Amino acid sequence: MDRETPVKILVTAPLGVGGISNMMINIQKHLDRDKINFDYLVFHDRKEAMEDVVLNMGSNKYIASVDDVKFGFCRRILRINKIRKVCKANDIKILHYNADSPADLTNILGAKLGGVKFVTIHSHNAGYGTAGKGIKILSKILKPFMPKLCDNYWACSNLAAQFLFPKSIIEKKRYSVLPNGIELDKYDYNPQIRGELRKKMGLDKKFVIGHVGRFSDQKNHTFLLDIFKAVHQKESKAILLLFGVGELMEDMKKKAKFLGIDKYVIFYGASNEMEKMWQVMDVFVMPSLHEGLPVTGIEAQASGLPCIFSENITKEVDVSHKSQFLSLAADIDDWVTAILSHKNQERHSGKQLLKDAGYDIMQTTEDLSQFYLNLISKYEKESGLK
């Protein structure tokens, strides 16, 4: 199919350093952008860490912010109209919606009212976590209507699909699992970079416990700090290295100080070079309240890191078959023992394991790109979609 301009897909993703954003941006980097490219719909009017990256790849950033509205329910209703206006003004025809819960159907409704013809809903979550009662009630009400608004169903794992999609979609197996592909060469274990960065960051001879994730309730940083305090009591050379930003970051800094561990916790913030930062760590710990299939868990294993996850995270993330899963109800000493078992552990590349399991970004990009090119071709023939 020859085109003068690329097919544009509107993607919902905050342009920060989170897993969903990283995945979509990594896919975009490997697209043939003369044929297909992404624009981004964001819900907060602010400068984001990865914003310039996507703008330089030819993307537009569209904002549907209602941050000035005080009440959550009012924000949700008013955002419908904001999204409608964005989609109508920019003649958006295709939306790739990365969803947290069925309550996100209100946003999709706004897109449909704005003229969007085709919606892919992509599940990345496997639970509500600390979401309020209102979200849960709204999700229960809206979930059966999903087939009325959405055309295609993707999920990062089977667990994520079962959480988000209605029974009619699950039972008929109308969804596809799209692996969260990454650049395997880029994330491969590199002892030279590890040595250089650890020395530069003052982490030489330290035992570095790493975590990557937005500072939100879902990621459970408060429990991670409790774990680390117990670890540090047994291993004085332990350091907790935290990557990410978010609304709870300042609260976690205060808690670290209250626990007396603030000198041993590094709140690094966002990084545009996470592929290098994985090299610095000795073990990756993720005690999330819920996850679909975390991209960060895949990146960690690609770099050869041992991983410890909460049992709330799908076992599908364990591509290396070496990860540990612990209950959030378990004694903290169980977490401490698991973490310290990786001290001085020899590290190896995880590249081939990830490739064999289908987590190569090139394959993910090809699957997504071909799907949308075929879709556009079909719609242009059948309904005159421009």
Side-chain angles (χ1 to χ4, degrees):
M1 178 175 61
D2 296 326
R3 303 184 60 88
E4 294 182 1
T5 59
V7 172
K8 278 297 189 86
I9 312 298
L10 183 63
V11 172
T12 58
L15 295 172
V17 294
I20 293 173
S21 301
N22 285 341
M23 186 188 78
M24 299 310 299
I25 292 170
N26 284 338
I27 290 173
Q28 185 182 8
K29 288 178 180 177
H30 292 84
L31 287 171
D32 181 346
R33 294 193 293 277
D34 290 331
K35 293 182 178 180
I36 186 170
N37 205 358
F38 295 160
D39 288 328
Y40 290 87
L41 176 64
V42 300
F43 300 136
H44 302 286
D45 189 2
R46 63 194 181 198
K47 178 75 173 180
E48 297 280 12
M50 299 300 289
E51 181 176 327
D52 291 337
V53 173
V54 302
L55 295 179
N56 288 334
M57 290 193 289
S59 296
N60 294 302
K61 174 188 172 183
Y62 299 123
I63 303 169
S65 173
V66 287
D67 289 342
D68 57 334
V69 179
K70 184 177 180 180
F71 299 106
F73 182 76
C74 294
R75 285 199 299 271
R76 181 169 293 275
I77 297 302
L78 292 174
R79 186 178 285 121
I80 294 174
N81 191 47
K82 289 276 189 176
I83 294 172
R84 180 191 67 81
K85 288 181 177 180
V86 165
C87 292
K88 185 175 182 180
N90 297 285
D91 195 28
I92 305 298
K93 298 302 181 186
I94 302 176
L95 174 67
H96 188 106
Y97 197 100
N98 294 297
D100 288 326
S101 76
D104 286 339
L105 286 171
T106 57
N107 293 336
I108 294 174
L109 173 61
K112 296 292 281 189
L113 292 173
V116 169
K117 299 296 184 183
F118 188 91
V119 175
T120 294
I121 187 167
H122 195 165
S123 178
H124 297 272
N125 237 338
Y128 291 107
T130 58
K133 187 176 180 180
I135 294 294
K136 295 177 183 179
I137 293 174
L138 185 60
S139 292
K140 186 175 182 179
I141 294 171
L142 293 179
K143 183 183 276 193
F145 296 98
M146 194 175 292
K148 300 290 185 181
L149 295 173
C150 302
D151 305 277
N152 196 60
Y153 304 85
W154 290 355
C156 62
S157 69
N158 286 301
L159 188 63
Q162 292 162 14
F163 165 70
L164 186 70
F165 305 146
K167 287 185 178 180
S168 60
I169 300 300
I170 300 298
E171 291 174 352
K172 294 178 183 178
K173 297 182 179 179
R174 283 187 56 198
Y175 70 91
S176 300
V177 173
L178 184 73
N180 292 335
I182 63 172
E183 298 172 277
L184 295 177
D185 288 332
K186 190 174 179 180
Y187 286 90
D188 198 15
Y189 175 52
N190 188 316
Q192 181 178 345
I193 291 177
R194 172 179 167 84
E196 292 173 354
L197 266 181
R198 283 172 67 96
K199 185 175 182 180
K200 181 180 179 180
M201 296 172 67
L203 298 174
D204 198 22
K205 297 182 180 180
K206 300 293 185 180
F207 176 55
V208 182
I209 301 161
H211 177 84
V212 181
R214 179 175 177 78
F215 282 85
S216 64
D217 289 327
Q218 175 189 351
K219 301 301 181 180
N220 206 11
H221 287 88
T222 186
F223 184 55
L224 181 56
L225 289 173
D226 290 335
I227 293 170
F228 178 70
K229 179 180 179 180
V231 168
H232 197 268
Q233 288 173 344
K234 292 189 175 183
E235 175 49 69
S236 61
K237 292 184 179 180
I239 295 291
L240 180 60
L241 180 58
L242 303 175
F243 292 94
V245 295
E247 62 274 12
L248 296 182
M249 188 173 184
E250 291 305 316
D251 288 344
M252 293 304 103
K253 287 182 178 180
K254 291 176 182 177
K255 175 164 182 174
K257 188 171 184 178
F258 174 78
L259 293 176
I261 55 173
D262 51 305
K263 293 181 181 179
Y264 314 105
V265 180
I266 300 174
F267 291 85
Y268 193 94
S271 172
N272 292 330
E273 296 184 310
M274 272 311 303
E275 71 279 2
K276 294 181 179 179
M277 295 304 172
W278 290 113
Q279 311 296 333
V280 173
M281 305 175 195
D282 293 299
V283 58
F284 176 63
V285 182
M286 193 175 206
S288 297
L289 299 178
H290 58 89
E291 295 280 352
L293 193 153
V295 178
T296 50
I298 299 301
E299 292 175 352
Q301 289 173 86
S303 71
L305 271 177
C307 297
I308 301 172
F309 301 106
S310 77
E311 286 186 344
N312 295 25
I313 299 174
T314 175
K315 302 297 190 297
E316 293 173 74
V317 73
D318 184 22
V319 181
S320 67
H321 305 296
K322 296 178 182 179
S323 302
Q324 294 169 273
F325 293 83
L326 296 175
S327 170
L328 294 177
D331 193 279
I332 283 183
D333 284 342
D334 293 341
W335 286 80
V336 172
T337 299
I339 291 169
L340 291 178
S341 71
H342 297 294
K343 186 182 175 184
N344 300 320
Q345 182 173 315
E346 189 175 356
R347 191 163 163 186
H348 303 281
S349 170
K351 175 182 173 180
Q352 193 59 47
L353 282 171
L354 273 291
K355 187 172 185 178
D356 292 344
Y359 286 91
D360 189 338
I361 189 66
M362 300 306 295
Q363 186 60 55
T364 303
T365 302
E366 175 62 24
D367 292 344
L368 182 146
S369 180
Q370 197 57 54
F371 171 80
Y372 279 122
L373 290 174
N374 290 342
L375 172 71
I376 286 294
S377 180
K378 178 181 177 182
Y379 264 63
E380 287 181 335
K381 289 178 181 178
E382 295 181 359
S383 59
L385 178 63
K386 300 297 183 182

